[in-house]
Amino acid sequence: MKTLLVLTGPTAVGKTRVAIELARRFGSPVINADSRQVYRDLPIGTAAPTPEEQAEVRHYFVGTLGLADYYSAAQYEQDVLGLLPSLFEERDVVVLSGGSMLYIDAVCRGLDDIPTIEAPVRMMMQQRLETEGLSALVEELRVLDPEYFAEVDRRNTRRVVHALEVIYQTGRKMSSFRRRNTQERPFRIVKVGLNRPRAELFERINARVGKMMEAGLWEEFMRVKDFRACNALNTVGYKELFHVLDGEWELPFALERMRKNTRVYAKKQLTWFQRDAEMHWLHPEDAEGMEKILNKIL
């Protein structure tokens, strides 16, 4: 049976190395499921696979988009489902790895049938965000779609703005697009979640920020800062550095906030993935546990 082996878990847990090892074992490429690693010019801040790691096995959807390119989980679902048939022609197992919750749900369960937002609507909402601020848009969402408002993370700028984009483009509430049932896929899905004890994971996150700076994160940031308005840079690691650029924070404070915000994001990822009863949880170095799971595939 054709099997999609999904490897996920919180940021900095160690997915990249395990994914490469699994891909080499099954003669598979790695399909990236990180929503920021799809963009070029951000390899350090997104902890993208290095050129050496990409040389070990082929990686799809790493560094394929420009910073100003529009991309969505719905487009990702379409792209991956379009790619998989050709990959399955040559092998029985394909590895998909990453920590973006919506990207993984898109492939495994299917997303709501939300249309792609047209450029004029995106531009209009971006201008409104800049002039009116997030709080005003959150209040508008409360009035226009109270059901979605009740469940959305109101601090997540992209989610709030996107919900209003959908309303203005379609005339329908975001909540009306919900898909109630998981979509059937013509392949088996096996999900493996990697995790570490909380103190161990947080230590890795804290250390990673320092390593990124040593690798040239600030220089990378300065090369892309002119794309500030693009969604690609609306993420932990770059948002904090814009405060430094604006003279609001000192760099050491920004790095501490980066560590903190990354830890918060890791907890959010774990909360999301731990709701999935189909997930097999392992420590990244638990070779015996991984072997038991793989025996179900082989």
Side-chain angles (χ1 to χ4, degrees):
M1 179 182 294
K2 302 299 184 180
T3 300
L4 182 67
L5 178 55
V6 177
L7 185 72
T8 191
T11 185
V13 76
K15 294 183 293 294
T16 299
R17 177 43 48 189
V18 176
I20 290 173
E21 292 172 357
L22 290 173
R24 295 179 67 176
R25 173 169 181 162
F26 291 110
S28 167
V30 173
I31 298 177
N32 169 54
D34 184 296
S35 65
R36 290 301 181 267
Q37 291 181 3
V38 299
Y39 294 102
R40 292 189 295 274
D41 305 317
L42 305 177
I44 299 173
T46 64
T50 64
E52 292 76 17
E53 288 169 331
Q54 293 188 56
E56 293 187 57
V57 297
R58 180 168 183 179
H59 286 66
Y60 287 93
F61 308 112
V62 174
T64 55
L65 298 176
L67 296 178
D69 291 340
Y70 177 77
Y71 202 62
S72 66
Q75 183 62 52
Y76 177 77
E77 175 187 5
Q78 180 178 331
D79 290 345
V80 172
L81 294 181
L83 173 66
L84 282 173
S86 63
L87 297 182
F88 279 135
E89 285 182 2
E90 302 176 2
R91 57 190 63 80
D92 292 328
V93 178
V94 174
V95 176
L96 181 147
S97 177
S100 292
M101 295 85 80
L102 279 180
Y103 275 31
I104 291 173
D105 267 8
V107 173
C108 295
R109 302 181 68 252
L111 292 180
D112 303 328
D113 190 20
I114 299 172
T116 299
I117 303 302
E118 297 173 356
V121 176
R122 292 204 315 271
M123 292 175 62
M124 180 267 290
M125 288 307 306
Q126 183 61 40
Q127 290 173 353
R128 289 194 57 199
L129 175 64
E130 294 174 359
T131 57
E132 301 175 36
L134 178 61
S135 59
L137 300 186
V138 168
E139 175 59 20
E140 183 174 6
L141 182 61
R142 183 189 68 80
V143 174
L144 296 179
D145 191 350
E147 185 177 356
Y148 188 72
F149 170 85
E151 65 182 38
V152 71
D153 178 358
R154 297 161 206 168
R155 296 169 297 179
N156 188 317
T157 303
R158 183 60 200 145
R159 297 282 175 82
V160 172
V161 170
H162 185 55
L164 291 172
E165 288 173 342
V166 169
I167 291 170
Y168 280 108
Q169 177 159 314
T170 67
R172 292 173 54 187
K173 298 177 181 179
M174 183 72 159
S175 55
S176 71
F177 284 92
R178 285 192 187 133
R179 177 171 285 157
R180 306 296 179 180
N181 301 313
T182 299
Q183 296 295 292
E184 292 294 327
R185 300 303 192 201
F187 46 83
R188 178 175 55 172
I189 298 173
V190 176
K191 301 175 184 176
V192 177
L194 301 181
N195 198 7
R196 296 175 184 267
R198 185 64 56 91
E200 182 181 329
L201 177 63
F202 284 2
E203 183 179 351
R204 287 174 61 89
I205 288 173
N206 294 340
R208 174 186 273 189
V209 171
K211 292 177 181 177
M212 285 179 171
M213 289 301 294
E214 293 173 1
L217 177 59
W218 177 258
E219 290 75 15
E220 177 178 274
F221 167 74
M222 292 300 291
R223 288 194 295 270
V224 301
K225 61 181 175 59
D226 291 342
F227 292 87
R228 182 174 191 160
C230 297
N231 188 50
L233 294 179
N234 182 28
T235 188
V236 175
Y238 300 98
K239 290 194 294 186
E240 295 83 359
L241 294 182
F242 277 116
H243 286 285
V244 178
L245 187 67
D246 294 340
E248 299 169 347
W249 294 353
E250 296 293 331
L251 183 59
F253 179 78
L255 297 181
E256 282 306 310
R257 289 298 292 268
M258 196 183 302
R259 294 182 179 98
K260 177 182 178 181
N261 292 339
T262 305
R263 296 193 300 267
V264 169
Y265 179 61
K267 289 189 286 187
K268 180 180 178 181
Q269 289 173 298
L270 285 169
T271 298
W272 180 291
F273 290 129
Q274 286 171 346
R275 296 172 182 160
D276 191 340
E278 298 176 351
M279 193 74 68
H280 302 275
W281 287 99
L282 292 174
H283 190 284
E285 298 167 16
D286 183 3
E288 182 178 349
M290 181 66 77
E291 198 63 32
K292 290 180 181 178
I293 294 172
L294 297 181
N295 285 338
K296 298 179 181 179
I297 302 174
L298 299 174

